[in-house]
Amino acid sequence: MNLKDEYINFFVSKGHKQIPSAPVVPENDPSVLFNTAGMQPLVPYLMGENHPYGTRLCDYQKCVRTNDLEEVGDTTHHTFFEMLGNWSLGDYFKEESITWSFEFLTKVLHIPKERLGITVFAGNDLIDFDEVSYNIWRRLGIPESRIVKTTEDNFWIAGDTGPCGSDTEIFYFRSDDEIPKNFDIKDERFVEIWNNVFMQYYKDAEGNITELPKKNVDTGMGVERTTAILEGVNDNYLSSIWKDVIDLIVEISGLPYEGHEKSMRIIADHIRTSVFIAADPAGIKPSNTDQGYILRRLIRRAIRHAKQLNIDINSDWDQQIAKLILKKYKSYYKELEDNYDVVLEVLKNEKIKFNRTLEKGLREFSKFTNNKQDIDATTAFHLYDTYGFPIELTVELANEMNLKVDEDGFKQKFREHQELSRTASQGKFKGGLAGNGEMETKYHTATHLLNAALKQVVDQNVHQKGSNITSERMRFDFSCDHKLSEEEKKQVENLVNLWIGEGLEVTKKEMPKEEAIASGAECMFIEKYPDIVTVYSIGDISHELCGGPHVKNTKELGTFKIQKEEASSAGVRRIKATLE
Ligand code: SER
């Protein structure tokens, strides 16, 4: 049986409910590009909201991390990965969490406990040594010499602020060497496989740590790494997750894996990630900003490496690889089935586009070679950045002409650029967890009012098609076949302001999905909701299935103002509005 299924079965047998993997592009959180950990979609619940599925949850979550894009090509880095997780939302704590992890590893996966190394939180001036976890591990038979106490490595937080806590990490000795008596965390033969975080604190922007309303558990285990370990391979790409994809690339290129590992791993990794991003319900297309830009870079980098393997770029090599990945994953992720053709189309179109810049880049390059000019750092970086030329390709082409490339200068520029994009993505992440701030909460409630007002003024059949909130504004997409008249816009605005002025109470109620639908509550995609749902009501005027958060009373909102009304796509209009 597959690791994902084993994991879910085990935790379901321990009273957990399986929750669906959230989309890889976070919903209602424009400040992060992708989910990077299983806990991310659960932040509101770790902060104290009731989860409709209860207090014991488990899942496999699609995650994308692109900070280390340039590192992909070695044996362990991937831009997409699946994270197994189980959560306690104020339910069990350290005892059950550690005992079940140990039971799963040793009884279900049959990993000998002699291969495990453990870290626990050593304590600092704010939080005590985690003696409870230490003692549990000792009782389970882990000798003192295999338990390491650390401070920095045993405190987990996503970004700078948010729910957090001390953790205990489980390592596995991945080597044929004799297992050392002492576990040394610097010994790379020990690889981390599972992290159990005891999330009982909240860290704010000033660095203050306060207790959360409930003591939670958040765990995360990497599917790729654990599968490689279980199958006894030291290169993740040789495990059953990748082997058939690599074999296909070998077949298409006519080259052996040995000697071409890097390009083959990059192609496999980048096409897989592109498939998942393109299939996401968010409808991401290659572009020059945000998720679209990441998707573009991934596809172009895969194409460059295919060219390095002498694959005929214009053949259907990309489609063949994507089809294999879609086939492998579609029983776990329905969106791959639903968006099968979309994914193939995205890859094909981007390939056609890149082929054009690739030619332009080659022409740009030949200007230098015709003049027998060495390639300076700025040009090398320009070729890389604008035309997608890897430095290796630039160097190779230059060598043929007996020209030099300022590689050190290029590396320097590359580092500066990487530093910039790192800072940018960290900024995004930081904002992400602050994403449920006061203004965002107000905009969330305003969205429901706007939805209700549009129904009354424009048409009962208006439905929400999307929404995007920042602390500065809200954006709301809705089904409508015409441009709103000035009068309609004014009426909608006045109605929302009337309801704000009336000081309507916002209340929430949990109920079975069927009951919510039968009562006429508004919802966007019914199939996406669990059996028990939360319905937010605003006075008598709005009832919507929603995860929140919302204000308590509409009078908190201020004045609502429509800033713009425009077309979004066929049959869909978009309103941008602010609260002042
Ligand atoms: N959030 C923790 C991690 O990402 C455990 O899931 O490691």
Side-chain angles (χ1 to χ4, degrees):
M1 203 198 268
N2 170 304
L3 174 65
K4 284 197 287 251
D5 300 323
E6 299 256 29
Y7 182 88
I8 298 296
N9 286 349
F10 179 80
F11 281 99
V12 166
S13 83
K14 304 291 184 195
H16 292 64
K17 283 258 163 54
Q18 183 188 354
I19 54 170
S21 178
V24 77
V25 176
E27 295 169 297
N28 294 321
D29 189 354
S31 52
V32 279
L33 293 183
F34 297 107
N35 277 320
T36 56
M39 53 73 75
Q40 238 167 322
L42 292 169
V43 168
Y45 309 102
L46 293 164
M47 297 288 294
E49 283 239 1
N50 283 337
H51 193 284
Y53 276 54
T55 55
R56 294 183 182 192
L57 312 173
C58 63
D59 75 4
Y60 41 86
Q61 172 63 43
K62 302 181 287 181
C63 301
V64 169
R65 288 187 191 177
T66 51
N67 278 5
D68 295 329
L69 194 109
E70 307 298 331
E71 308 231 8
V72 174
D74 66 8
T75 56
T76 54
H77 278 87
H78 310 299
T79 51
F80 169 89
F81 62 96
E82 294 172 281
M83 196 185 265
L84 299 167
N86 60 279
W87 290 272
S88 156
L89 300 172
D91 191 314
Y92 60 84
F93 206 45
K94 296 178 181 176
E95 178 71 40
E96 291 89 335
S97 170
I98 294 176
T99 311
W100 288 337
S101 291
F102 184 75
E103 184 183 334
F104 181 68
L105 292 173
T106 56
K107 300 267 161 43
V108 181
L109 301 184
H110 304 291
I111 291 178
K113 69 171 188 248
E114 290 68 33
R115 288 201 166 264
L116 301 179
I118 304 295
T119 62
V120 296
F121 185 66
N124 59 16
D125 44 357
L126 289 174
I127 302 164
D128 292 340
F129 159 52
D130 186 2
E131 198 175 356
V132 175
S133 297
Y134 184 88
N135 287 337
I136 297 168
W137 284 117
R138 290 287 291 117
R139 208 192 57 232
L140 291 169
I142 307 293
E144 253 173 66
S145 60
R146 294 271 172 74
I147 309 179
V148 170
K149 299 170 197 164
T150 87
T151 313
E152 256 120 71
D153 290 343
N154 287 102
F155 192 85
W156 202 89
I157 183 164
D160 296 327
T161 62
C164 55
S166 62
D167 64 15
T168 176
E169 295 172 325
I170 307 173
F171 288 70
Y172 174 87
F173 186 71
R174 174 160 93 168
S175 167
D176 294 331
D177 302 344
E178 195 184 326
I179 313 172
K181 185 168 172 291
N182 292 314
F183 165 40
D184 173 3
I185 48 170
K186 292 202 198 74
D187 183 341
E188 288 183 354
R189 292 171 301 175
F190 280 97
V191 290
E192 188 200 330
I193 50 173
W194 206 343
N195 186 10
N196 292 22
V197 186
F198 305 115
M199 282 195 167
Q200 62 184 118
Y201 303 110
Y202 177 80
K203 189 172 175 195
D204 67 20
E206 278 80 50
N208 300 316
I209 294 208
T210 47
E211 294 267 345
L212 285 172
K214 292 170 188 161
K215 288 181 175 178
N216 311 296
V217 175
D218 155 44
T219 89
M221 181 196 252
V223 171
E224 281 72 12
R225 190 179 282 187
T226 309
T227 303
I229 283 169
L230 291 172
E231 294 176 4
V233 291
N234 288 328
D235 171 355
N236 281 7
Y237 290 89
L238 294 178
S239 83
S240 54
I241 292 183
W242 295 105
K243 185 75 176 57
D244 47 359
V245 181
I246 295 287
D247 285 348
L248 179 62
I249 300 172
V250 165
E251 188 191 314
I252 293 171
S253 65
L255 296 170
Y257 181 52
E258 218 183 299
H260 304 94
E261 293 92 339
K262 187 164 179 230
S263 286
M264 290 191 182
R265 290 172 189 156
I266 289 173
I267 294 168
D269 173 89
H270 287 10
I271 300 266
R272 183 176 74 153
T273 308
S274 302
V275 164
F276 275 94
I277 297 176
D280 202 73
I284 305 296
K285 300 281 181 294
S287 73
N288 286 330
T289 54
D290 296 338
Q291 291 96 343
Y293 182 59
I294 302 280
L295 178 58
R296 166 159 289 166
R297 277 179 70 195
L298 289 166
I299 299 175
R300 292 187 174 200
R301 193 153 182 257
I303 294 172
R304 269 163 28 201
H305 282 274
K307 214 172 160 69
Q308 284 182 358
L309 295 179
N310 292 327
I311 291 173
D312 173 7
I313 300 298
N314 292 313
S315 71
D316 70 344
W317 63 280
D318 54 320
Q319 308 281 303
Q320 286 186 52
I321 300 167
K323 280 180 188 168
L324 176 58
I325 289 161
L326 287 160
K327 189 167 130 222
K328 277 175 81 93
Y329 285 96
K330 71 182 190 317
S331 64
Y332 288 96
Y333 300 104
K334 188 171 172 294
E335 62 275 21
L336 297 190
E337 181 110 58
D338 295 345
N339 296 325
Y340 192 93
D341 294 335
V342 175
V343 170
L344 296 177
E345 198 67 21
V346 161
L347 285 169
K348 196 169 92 200
N349 289 344
E350 186 61 11
K351 187 173 72 175
I352 294 169
K353 272 206 191 108
F354 185 48
N355 266 344
R356 279 185 222 134
T357 53
L358 197 58
E359 289 311 313
K360 279 191 206 144
L362 284 168
R363 276 203 295 277
E364 182 86 6
F365 185 88
S366 62
K367 280 188 213 155
F368 288 84
T369 48
N370 288 345
N371 294 336
K372 301 269 173 238
Q373 241 178 301
D374 285 341
I375 312 284
D376 60 25
T378 310
T379 309
F381 190 74
H382 182 60
L383 286 167
Y384 168 78
D385 199 35
T386 310
Y387 300 106
F389 273 46
I391 185 69
E392 296 83 8
L393 178 60
T394 305
V395 171
E396 201 177 293
L397 290 168
N399 277 348
E400 284 168 20
M401 313 296 292
N402 284 329
L403 298 174
K404 289 197 176 60
V405 180
D406 179 2
E407 282 187 78
D408 289 338
F410 171 86
K411 281 186 193 140
Q412 178 62 28
K413 284 200 178 293
F414 183 81
R415 270 196 298 272
E416 284 163 17
H417 176 84
Q418 214 179 19
E419 197 48 49
L420 274 180
S421 50
R422 271 228 172 93
T423 318
S425 73
Q426 274 163 6
K428 290 250 178 208
F429 202 72
K430 191 169 143 201
L433 292 174
N436 287 332
E438 201 183 336
M439 274 322 286
E440 286 90 342
T441 307
K442 288 183 185 174
Y443 277 121
H444 220 128
T445 308
T447 301
H448 288 211
L449 292 179
L450 174 60
N451 197 359
L454 285 166
K455 281 188 201 304
Q456 288 203 13
V457 174
V458 182
D459 184 347
Q460 270 307 321
N461 292 320
V462 162
H463 287 289
Q464 175 171 347
K465 287 285 167 198
S467 117
N468 176 294
I469 289 169
T470 71
S471 58
E472 266 107 49
R473 56 113 185 101
M474 58 187 275
R475 204 176 75 195
F476 185 78
D477 292 349
F478 58 102
S479 54
C480 176
D481 59 5
H482 67 275
K483 181 174 173 53
L484 297 195
S485 66
E486 283 308 313
E487 197 178 324
E488 280 176 316
K489 275 196 284 189
K490 201 74 222 149
Q491 280 181 14
V492 168
E493 202 175 87
N494 289 345
L495 198 50
V496 171
N497 282 319
L498 176 80
W499 289 330
I500 293 176
E502 282 178 352
L504 303 171
E505 293 283 330
V506 182
T507 52
K508 79 176 196 190
K509 206 172 149 194
E510 279 164 28
M511 59 178 87
K513 179 159 78 175
E514 283 67 34
E515 194 184 312
I517 301 307
S519 75
E522 178 77 2
C523 77
M524 244 200 328
F525 312 106
I526 188 61
E527 68 279 4
K528 271 180 38 181
Y529 289 91
D531 298 338
I532 304 287
V533 296
T534 310
V535 175
Y536 275 90
S537 297
I538 308 179
D540 263 350
I541 61 113
S542 157
H543 306 280
E544 279 198 35
L545 271 74
C546 178
H550 285 282
V551 299
K552 297 233 169 334
N553 188 297
T554 56
K555 66 174 185 283
E556 295 168 43
L557 298 188
T559 308
F560 173 81
K561 196 155 173 23
I562 294 181
Q563 301 291 354
K564 205 170 185 185
E565 192 270 343
E566 61 193 359
S568 168
S569 58
V572 178
R573 307 287 306 175
R574 168 169 290 181
I575 283 180
K576 287 188 184 147
T578 50
L579 288 170
E580 282 156 20

